Each structure stands twice: as structure tokens, then as C-alpha cells.
Amino acid sequence: MPPQDSSSSKTPTRAQHPRSINSTTTAAAAAVISSSTCSSTNPSGAKLPTNWPREITYLTRPTYSRLLDSAIIQQLCPNPSSKQQPAFRNGPRNTHQSGPSPFVKIKKITDPNHPAYGQHGLFANHVLLPGQWVLDYLGYVHPASETDPESNYDLSLDRELGDGGVGIDARHMGNEARFVNDYRGIPERMMKANSGPYAGKKPKPGPNVVFAERVVEGTGERRLCIMVGKERIKKCEELCVSYGKGFWKERGIIFDAARSFES
């Protein structure tokens, strides 16, 4: 994981968890805020999540690059004028549209055996049910031409759209979803958790949440989100995804105990 309280991103020198998966935006592009009706940055006076880093802009909706042409914007957000609110699977309507998520909280990692020890992770604020929508992955929606090779916070929204695809980069702006960690290297998420402080405890192998695409009801806006996997998540349990083994190989990091779950 790169330092989470900083907008800079460095290749980890130990088994730390970088935060995201694919291409990203440049620092200069991250300062560009679109005036599109599908996007808005941290509203004046809006409450910030606990432990939110000051230098990162908090978003309640995606922010679109001005370099995305109208045809692409139309495909990503067909009906931006609609006032109809989104509906979520296993979740209430009108959920935290203007502030922190009630489902999760950002917490500092205090377990010295955790690869992100001293940094932050995303934890359940309530019991989360299998298949439940948790929150959207918000950030700077950008074309491939604005890819930032230094970012670890970028997800691919559509690999085919435009010239090279469209990504969502949460390096400089985003919401709580940017803090979700990869499960690899976390003792309680590994199959071989049979020694040390986890000896005798039933292991919870693999990730417990996944990245998924959803369409906002009414606006038709395409977003990426975090969904609960096949098992319920207890209150205070850390949410962990899989970044994919390719992400780690590019950074020269191998988690031997995670071989059974490489994807």
C-alpha cells in the first residue's frame, strides 16, 4: 500500500498493499474538475469521513475529465438531468449521497502482522450481507490519454470506450472506497494462518468483497462499486478485495501463502 495520507504514490519496498488496479490520471489532470451535471466535488460544509486525509478531495459523485468528449459522456451518463435516486441491491434508497457511508469506516491498521501496519484500511460499520452493495468507487473519470503511471488507485471503467478506454482514478480525489486493501498477506485472510497470534483460529481465505459495475437508476450513469462476496461480513471486520496477481507481479511482490487464491 502506498502512503495513504499523501497524494504521492511510490512502489512499496516491503509487502505493502498498493490501493488499486489499472491505469490512472496525471497530477495536472487531477486538478481539472468538470462542470458536467453528472459530477460534483466535496460540497461546501459537507462532513468528511473520520480519518480522511486533508490533501485528498472527498467526492460524493464522480468527477469527469474535460477531455472526455460529449459522445463518451453520453454513454457514461445518458440522463444527467434525472432527479430519480438510485436503488441498490440489499440496500436502502438515497444512501449517503452527500456524505460519509454509514456502512464502512476508515481505520488505522494496528496489527503488526498486517502488511499495511501503520496505514489505513476499510472496515465494516455494520453487518454486511452477501451480495450487498456497500459503496461506489468514486474518483476522476478520465480517458487513457490522462493515465498516470504513478497512481495505484485507478480502476478500468470501460476498456473499449474511446481511444484506449476510460478509467476511474482515486489518487487525488475519491471516497472511502479508495482505502480498500488487497487480501494477500493479511494473516486472517490467508489459508495458512496456523501460527503466531492467529494459531487455532479458523482462517477466512480470500477476499470478502469484489469490484463490480452498476448502473444508477434514473440517470443511467455507469459506476464501479464494492459488493459483498458470498459470505456475510461482521461489524468491525476489514473489507478486502483482490487486486489480481498481475498487479503484484508488476511490483515484484509475491505472497507465497496466497497461491491458492491467485486470480
Side-chain angles (χ1 to χ4, degrees):
M1 242 173 263
Q4 297 166 9
D5 296 329
S6 171
S7 60
S8 62
S9 172
K10 299 179 181 179
T11 301
T13 56
R14 60 188 292 267
Q16 296 177 319
H17 288 206
R19 313 238 44 104
S20 162
I21 300 178
N22 295 308
S23 60
T24 46
T25 60
T26 63
V32 178
I33 308 268
S34 171
S35 60
S36 166
T37 54
C38 278
S39 65
S40 69
T41 56
N42 184 23
S44 176
K47 183 179 178 181
L48 296 176
T50 301
N51 294 321
W52 185 261
R54 297 181 185 178
E55 64 275 18
I56 306 299
T57 300
Y58 182 66
L59 300 181
T60 59
R61 293 175 182 245
T63 291
Y64 288 80
S65 167
R66 291 173 180 162
L67 298 185
L68 292 170
D69 62 38
S70 59
I72 292 179
I73 291 291
Q74 177 63 25
Q75 292 187 61
L76 294 177
C77 189
N79 188 22
S81 62
S82 173
K83 295 183 179 180
Q84 186 174 0
Q85 296 296 325
F88 308 112
R89 180 183 178 187
N90 293 336
R93 300 173 69 89
N94 303 332
T95 304
H96 62 86
Q97 294 302 297
S98 59
S101 167
F103 298 141
V104 296
K105 55 188 173 183
I106 303 166
K107 290 179 56 180
K108 190 170 184 177
I109 304 294
T110 58
D111 181 358
N113 296 293
H114 195 296
Y117 174 59
Q119 299 182 58
H120 291 84
L122 196 62
F123 292 77
N125 213 23
H126 302 281
V127 172
L128 303 176
L129 302 178
Q132 179 180 336
W133 171 90
V134 182
L135 77 170
D136 292 335
Y137 188 91
L138 303 181
Y140 181 70
V141 183
H142 65 91
S145 60
E146 290 185 290
T147 293
D148 177 5
E150 296 299 317
S151 175
N152 287 312
Y153 295 79
D154 195 283
L155 296 177
S156 175
L157 178 59
D158 191 314
R159 298 180 186 277
E160 306 298 328
L161 196 59
D163 185 11
V166 174
I168 305 174
D169 188 4
R171 181 183 180 188
H172 299 284
M173 59 182 72
N175 65 344
E176 297 96 318
R178 74 190 297 278
F179 287 90
V180 66
N181 288 323
D182 187 280
Y183 77 93
R184 294 171 176 83
I186 301 177
E188 63 182 293
R189 303 287 338 160
M190 308 305 292
M191 178 175 286
K192 297 181 179 180
N194 54 8
S195 61
Y198 295 94
K201 294 185 178 181
K202 183 179 179 180
K204 302 175 181 179
N208 55 10
V209 293
V210 298
F211 288 122
E213 183 175 342
R214 78 175 187 92
V215 176
V216 177
E217 184 179 328
T219 66
E221 184 178 27
R222 294 175 59 188
R223 294 188 183 183
L224 293 179
C225 66
I226 291 177
M227 303 278 292
V228 180
K230 297 180 179 180
E231 299 181 4
R232 61 178 287 185
I233 297 175
K234 297 179 181 180
K235 181 179 180 180
C236 298
E237 185 176 341
E238 183 177 6
L239 276 60
C240 301
V241 296
S242 172
Y243 295 166
K245 67 178 182 179
F247 178 88
W248 296 105
K249 283 185 176 180
E250 290 177 358
R251 289 156 178 79
I253 299 175
I254 301 296
F255 292 105
D256 291 337
R259 286 176 182 165
S260 299
F261 311 107
E262 295 291 90
S263 58

